[in-house]
Amino acid sequence: MTVRLAREHDFDGFLGLAAQVEHWFGPMVEEPGFHDAVRDHIRQGMALVADSPGPGLLGGLLFGAEAPVYHVHWLVVSRRQRGAGVGRALMAEALRRYVSGPGTVEVVTFGADHPAAVEGGARVFYERLGFTAAEPAEPGPEGGSRQVFRRAVA
């Protein structure tokens, strides 16, 4: 597996990843706003992908680096690769590449009562990376609960 900056030709791979999680996040694949966000992150050098030989991306991440508060805007690992270290590798590269402390890294993920909180493993994933649950966030576009997770960086 290689984690690298996303390029324009990775756009369809981001849509493929999005299709696997729309039931958790709400519509993305046909949404112009999502298309614009992915393309903007790619152009700004703020999108990473996990890639390997074979079809499709293993994972993708969109990041916002505005010190002192950094944001994971979107992180998805392909269904077939969850639990294999892809998300951890994407986060490690994002922190290495974009974050210089002191500050905090924030991500809005599923609330404790959201089905994806357990099935997708997002909350446990972020906790294992040193994030802690913070305040509730606005519900997602599908109406499910969301919560901010935060991690201090030195």
Side-chain angles (χ1 to χ4, degrees):
M1 169 181 61
T2 303
V3 175
R4 60 172 173 77
L5 276 174
R7 298 184 285 263
E8 186 59 38
H9 75 266
D10 294 313
F11 178 76
D12 288 341
F14 275 96
L15 294 184
L17 291 168
Q20 294 181 34
V21 296
E22 281 188 315
H23 61 290
W24 293 334
F25 285 104
M28 291 179 286
V29 174
E30 300 296 327
E31 291 296 316
F34 180 72
H35 291 204
D36 292 344
V38 171
R39 286 192 169 109
D40 287 347
H41 280 81
I42 290 172
R43 272 194 298 278
Q44 295 168 13
M46 302 303 289
L48 299 174
V49 294
D51 203 1
S52 71
L57 295 176
L58 305 178
L61 181 143
L62 304 178
F63 202 79
E66 295 180 21
V69 181
Y70 305 91
H71 295 274
V72 178
H73 292 156
W74 192 78
L75 171 61
V76 172
V77 173
S78 76
R79 191 175 4 240
R80 62 186 165 83
Q81 291 296 315
R82 290 186 195 132
V86 174
R88 183 176 289 276
L90 284 163
M91 283 297 297
E93 181 61 15
L95 295 174
R96 185 195 70 74
R97 183 180 291 266
Y98 303 121
V99 176
S100 60
T104 58
V105 180
E106 294 184 351
V107 61
V108 175
T109 193
F110 305 109
D113 63 338
H114 194 288
V118 175
E119 184 183 340
R123 292 173 66 90
V124 169
F125 168 75
Y126 289 114
E127 287 169 350
R128 288 181 180 159
L129 293 178
F131 286 77
T132 56
E135 67 274 6
E138 293 294 317
E142 84 302 347
S145 67
R146 297 290 192 272
Q147 186 169 12
V148 175
F149 272 57
R150 195 171 281 123
R151 174 182 164 180
V153 290

